[in-house]
Amino acid sequence: MPQLTNPRAERVKAVRALAGRPARSRSGRFLVEGPQSVREAVRETATRVHDLYVTEQAAARYPEIVAAASARGVVVRTGTPDVLDAMSPDGQGVVAVADLLAVPLDAVLARVPRLVAVLAHVRDPGNAGTVVRAADAAGASAVVLTRESVDVHNPKVVRSTAGSLFHLPVVAGVGLEETVGALRELGVTVLAADGTGEHDIDDLLDVAGAAPAGVPDLAAPTAWVFGNEAWGLRDEDRALTDAVVRVPIRGRAESLNLATAATVCLYASARAQR
């Protein structure tokens, strides 16, 4: 196929438009940018990837991406650097278009999850994507974003996951109360992460596997609920959970970044569950 050379072509504009939510909603597709995310999208969910766009330089630098896409029936198109930059200034010469990910909550519950990250009113795309990446690294069963949270297909969310978006189920657009209720019905302990928590996560690790009555056991199946970057969890959201847990601050920092705190909590559970 001839190389794409016109950065103002309709195809280029259509790909670029997927950076916006209206175009994603209309088309049912989203933008995957950069070699790491595209590599994982092709490797893990190739049937959902429609097109791969690369510069000739990127194709030479990442031949494994092109080879994997071609082997899985993905259409591969080359374009000039100007064309790829017009599609995505953050793509590093590698961009893919894929179907929106639609994982129902019931599908996650059917697997009886042992570790889940729930994002409630999380609006910052970088934080949301980093939590997905941390959950993947910690071996979590799934990530859930409530309907008040950022769109999981937002390009910055996708980039921030560094490919982890394609490794584990990510549920979006559900209510917090619905999610917590369904998890508790399965016997999953639901913990809120908040700096004002009555329980210290270090203390919980000390008694994991043999926690006394009334104390959360991190060795048990657990869902962590993380709140908004600016104001944390609302009182009514904390009230839905079984307990509120804090990550202690030993130094002089005012607080922890949401994604950092989430990583600490997820790894504490992962360690206890081992």
Side-chain angles (χ1 to χ4, degrees), residues 31-50:
L31 194 61
V32 186
E33 306 166 293
Q36 176 59 23
S37 290
V38 172
R39 181 184 293 110
E40 298 310 304
V42 169
R43 179 183 297 165
E44 303 293 336
T45 58
T47 57
R48 306 184 68 88
V49 179
H50 292 276

Side-chain angles (χ1 to χ4, degrees), residues 166-241:
F166 308 103
H167 292 169
L168 78 171
V170 179
V171 179
V174 295
L176 180 61
E177 186 171 0
E178 166 197 355
T179 301
V180 169
L183 288 166
R184 293 178 77 178
E185 282 186 12
L186 286 178
V188 176
T189 300
V190 181
L191 301 178
D194 191 275
T196 63
E198 58 187 308
H199 299 282
D200 184 308
I201 197 167
D202 285 346
D203 295 337
L204 296 184
L205 271 172
D206 289 342
V207 297
V215 175
D217 189 348
L218 293 185
T222 300
W224 285 96
V225 180
F226 305 107
N228 181 271
E229 298 82 1
W231 64 77
L233 283 167
R234 302 177 304 181
D235 290 343
E236 56 266 39
D237 294 339
R238 286 196 297 269
L240 295 172
T241 66

Side-chain angles (χ1 to χ4, degrees), residues 28-150:
R29 297 177 180 179
F30 73 110
L31 194 61
V32 186
E33 306 166 293
Q36 176 59 23
S37 290
V38 172
R39 181 184 293 110
E40 298 310 304
V42 169
R43 179 183 297 165
E44 303 293 336
T45 58
T47 57
R48 306 184 68 88
V49 179
H50 292 276
D51 300 283
L52 170 64
Y53 298 93
V54 291
T55 61
E56 291 183 343
Q57 297 93 324
R61 185 173 183 181
Y62 306 108
E64 76 285 359
I65 298 178
V66 175
S70 298
R72 290 165 171 79
V74 177
V75 177
V76 180
R77 308 176 194 273
T78 60
T80 63
D82 284 349
V83 164
L84 268 293
D85 282 345
M87 289 179 172
S88 165
D90 299 301
Q92 301 172 56
V94 184
V95 171
V97 174
D99 287 334
L100 296 177
L101 303 173
V103 180
L105 181 61
D106 287 348
V108 169
L109 300 176
R111 300 179 183 181
V112 191
R114 288 195 56 79
L115 181 57
V116 180
V118 181
L119 305 185
H121 296 88
V122 172
R123 307 284 175 79
D124 182 83
N127 270 328
T130 303
V131 173
V132 172
R133 185 177 182 181
D136 179 24
S141 306
V143 177
V144 177
L145 286 84
T146 65
R147 64 176 60 97
E148 298 87 359
S149 294
V150 65

